[in-house]
Amino acid sequence: MNLQLEGKKTLVTGSTAGIGFAIARTLAREKASVVVTGRTQQRVDDATQSIRKEMRDAKISGIAVDLATPDGISKCIEAVPAVDVLVNNVGVYEPKPFEQISDDDWRAIIEVNFMSGVRLSRHYLPRMKAANWGRIISISSESAINIPVEMIHYGVTKTMQVALARGLAETTVGTAVTVNSVLAGPTRSEGVEQFLIDMARTKNITPEETEKEFFRTGRPSSLLQRFATTDEVAALVAFIASPLSSATNGAALRAEGGVVRSIF
């Protein structure tokens, strides 16, 4: 299927690894012009070179920037003043008992997971409306619905992303601009790979056995019963970024393997 993304300028935040990298690579395959962001120049260079190695004609560039700060946002906007597609993917998580989550912890995770998207959307959304076309997509999580008891602050920021996307969508009435969120589920990223290796070593079992145990005891409601691949999540994001998704606006779309046990 031709997603009609050729020539579309896209910015994917937090895209040097994991879901963000898969989204950037998938959009590049669709011939979109892609800007990758990461916190270090080395990570950005590694990501862009990897995509170029796979696709010699890829229109890919990158910015090393800390999007958790207003200064970092300003630097990003200065480098990329206008985009057709904004993917708010940058995010962090930290398992921590609620009683030990300090005010500084709350502020730090909100700045990265939520305020980065607020600030970038505040800049790009009016320009999309003026051009009468655009896409804003926030990469949320099934944790927005199933708040994880081991990291409540993370789950709250994921819910905030969904609420923001719906609210911004309400401002796009009568335009060809859409704002949606994607609820990713347990996904095989760099962090997950290391988690499986560490747990397997601790329990003296294989990573494959560790994964099966995780879904049997930790995520028993999963219909997939395995970690999704980053490409599986990226495929949904690419469709939502495309002109073909014009009737989808203000939605929280799932790529979470059926972990959420509800029909709505």
Side-chain angles (χ1 to χ4, degrees):
M1 181 183 292
N2 178 6
L3 294 182
Q4 302 174 17
L5 281 166
E6 185 169 0
K8 296 293 187 187
K9 181 83 168 183
T10 67
L11 172 64
V12 185
T13 66
S15 45
T16 59
I19 292 173
F21 177 76
I23 293 169
R25 184 177 57 198
T26 300
L27 293 174
R29 283 180 187 149
E30 294 295 327
K31 302 188 183 304
S33 172
V34 182
V35 180
V36 166
T37 81
R39 284 181 291 179
T40 69
Q41 192 63 53
Q42 186 62 57
R43 296 275 288 183
V44 169
D45 290 344
D46 289 348
T48 55
Q49 288 168 16
S50 176
I51 292 172
R52 282 200 193 95
K53 186 176 180 180
E54 180 183 339
M55 296 163 274
R56 289 177 176 248
D57 60 346
K59 297 174 182 174
I60 187 85
S61 60
I63 310 168
V65 64
D66 181 3
L67 296 176
T69 69
D71 286 346
I73 295 291
S74 296
K75 180 181 176 182
C76 181
I77 289 170
E78 183 179 354
V80 190
V83 297
D84 300 300
V85 178
L86 168 64
V87 182
N88 291 315
N89 172 76
V90 68
V92 294
Y93 65 93
E94 178 192 25
K96 202 168 194 178
F98 173 74
E99 295 81 4
Q100 296 177 22
I101 304 173
S102 68
D103 284 2
D104 286 342
D105 291 333
W106 277 102
R107 279 189 286 267
I109 201 168
I110 288 171
E111 286 288 333
V112 179
N113 293 6
F114 181 65
M115 289 305 299
S116 61
V118 169
R119 291 169 177 140
L120 289 173
S121 298
R122 189 163 54 207
H123 173 80
Y124 292 119
L125 182 57
R127 286 157 179 79
M128 292 178 182
K129 290 177 183 176
N132 197 34
W133 200 91
R135 300 284 186 267
I136 295 179
I137 306 164
S138 289
I139 308 305
S140 181
S141 166
E142 52 89 13
S143 293
I145 300 172
N146 296 334
I147 302 294
V149 69
E150 73 276 10
M151 46 183 181
I152 291 171
H153 54 337
Y154 170 79
V156 168
T157 62
K158 295 288 110 176
T159 307
M160 292 166 73
Q161 285 184 300
V162 175
L164 175 66
R166 178 65 206 190
L168 294 182
E170 294 286 347
T171 75
T172 66
V173 176
T175 74
V177 178
T178 67
V179 187
N180 295 286
S181 54
V182 170
L183 307 185
T187 305
R188 189 177 286 275
S189 61
E190 281 183 339
V192 166
E193 290 285 1
Q194 193 58 52
F195 163 78
L196 291 174
I197 292 170
D198 292 343
M199 288 298 293
R201 187 180 297 117
T202 299
K203 298 186 176 183
N204 197 29
I205 58 177
T206 67
E208 291 75 20
E209 289 171 320
T210 302
E211 181 173 356
K212 289 180 181 178
E213 181 181 331
F214 172 81
F215 282 96
R216 185 171 59 252
T217 61
R219 296 292 187 276
S221 63
S222 169
L223 303 179
L224 197 59
Q225 283 296 298
R226 64 168 172 81
F227 289 101
T229 68
T230 55
D231 285 340
E232 286 172 326
V233 179
L236 175 58
V237 176
F239 172 71
I240 297 305
S242 80
L244 302 183
S245 69
S246 54
T248 303
N249 197 7
L253 302 151
R254 298 185 190 178
E256 37 73 51
V259 171
V260 179
R261 300 188 70 179
S262 68
I263 59 174
F264 299 115

